Amino acid sequence: MDLTKKLSIFVFLLCVLISLRNQKAATDSRSVAEDPSTRRDLGEDDSHSIAGAQARLKYDYYSDSCPSAESIIRSTVRELHEMKNVGPALLRLAFHDCFVMGCDASILLDSAGDVKSEKETPPNRSIKAFDHIDAIKYILEQECPGVVSCADIVVLSAREGVLLAGGQFYPVLTGRLDSKTAFPDDAAGSLPSPHLNLGEALRSFAAKGFDARETVALLGAHSTGKVHCSFFYNRLYNFSGTNGPDPSINAEFVLVLRSQCSNSSSQPSPSPSPLSSEHNSSFEDRAMKMDYEGAGNGFGEVYYRSLLEGKGLLFVDQQLTAGDDTRPWVEAYAADAPRFRRDFGLAMFKLSHLHVPSAAEGEVRLNCRKVN
């Protein structure tokens, strides 16, 4: 086990242990996230810093420069959530940002001058959380001008989205810088499609350092949000030219999906990543909710049980039951929700520090949509 992975597990487990000590209601993950004593205790130990190129990252990085930063992000996300379920969009945004060149807020940049935006690439045309990040950044700039990076806002907001969806609190190290450029070619080429077969999906995640177990855990993000019919329409009628449905779909479920999607447009749409199942709203399209038991309930367990029943909406999801390296984890997470939530938190922690821009590569943007 390499040093980074050991540190990841150490930080995660220590965070959980301190949270349990300080919280009477430890089973409520949201109350854990809201406990300031948890953050203070962990923030005192600088040994949580990531080594090497990632040494800038620390737990509670803003404790001196902007002590209210994380509470502002948390409260603002929850205020937005009261108006609209923003959790899935924030989680999707973080994945699309971090999976390309690391969590550097490059996805937030608009096209200007030499910068060509990642937003214009097909995988990112379904992203809808940019305004939410702008709102949070505006408040933080009033409180602590030029201090909190857009990249940190993205990863911290995603964690709040997970909590609101019923997931578990996981530690997030902060201190990231924002990229001075965007990477549209990388976004177009590296973000995995929901139509990938199992081998393609595993190779896509392996290229970023994720093994089969972590891939299965990360795809559990599909426990929340919705999938528009255009993303699985090809599985319902003429799958791979067979004049029939995808045989991996439960036969009764096919009828349910056909009924739900009977009036939807079948025209093609951009292919988002597996964590980006929401369709570009350029045309009318019906959708199926992923959180079948309602937002904030059954995060993970319902998704994995559905896969075992042949009720995965996306092809890449259902394929997880077909592999010797992936099906055991689908079965494990379907039977043990706490285990999934722990592994999901570890995978998200790992995703959040795939690459950290150096001082030469990054800055703290004053406006998340453009370089300073």
Side-chain angles (χ1 to χ4, degrees), residues 101-220:
M101 292 293 288
C103 304
D104 59 4
S106 60
I107 193 174
L108 304 180
L109 289 170
D110 291 335
S111 292
D114 295 333
V115 175
K116 181 180 178 182
S117 179
E118 295 174 29
K119 299 176 184 178
E120 300 169 8
T121 61
N124 289 332
R125 291 174 188 164
S126 62
I127 300 298
K128 298 180 180 180
F130 301 115
D131 291 343
H132 305 329
I133 301 300
D134 288 340
I136 297 169
K137 178 65 171 176
Y138 176 81
I139 297 172
L140 285 169
E141 284 300 305
Q142 303 305 304
E143 180 74 14
C144 311
V147 174
V148 183
S149 70
C150 302
D152 279 341
I153 295 173
V154 169
V155 295
L156 288 167
S157 296
R159 180 179 65 185
E160 297 308 318
V162 170
L163 292 169
L164 290 169
Q168 180 171 311
F169 172 78
Y170 57 89
V172 171
L173 306 186
T174 44
R176 293 167 187 78
L177 294 174
D178 302 320
S179 174
K180 296 179 181 179
T181 189
F183 307 95
D185 293 339
D186 292 279
S190 65
L191 284 167
S193 162
H195 307 299
L196 296 180
N197 62 38
L198 180 60
E200 293 169 333
L202 289 175
R203 285 192 293 274
S204 178
F205 280 85
K208 300 297 180 179
F210 295 102
D211 60 22
R213 177 179 184 173
E214 292 165 329
T215 298
V216 175
L218 279 175
L219 285 171

Side-chain angles (χ1 to χ4, degrees), residues 1 80-81 84 99 179-180 197 234 241-242 264:
M1 185 180 296
L80 292 168
H81 186 74
K84 182 181 180 181
F99 203 81
S179 174
K180 296 179 181 179
N197 62 38
N234 67 313
T242 61
S264 69

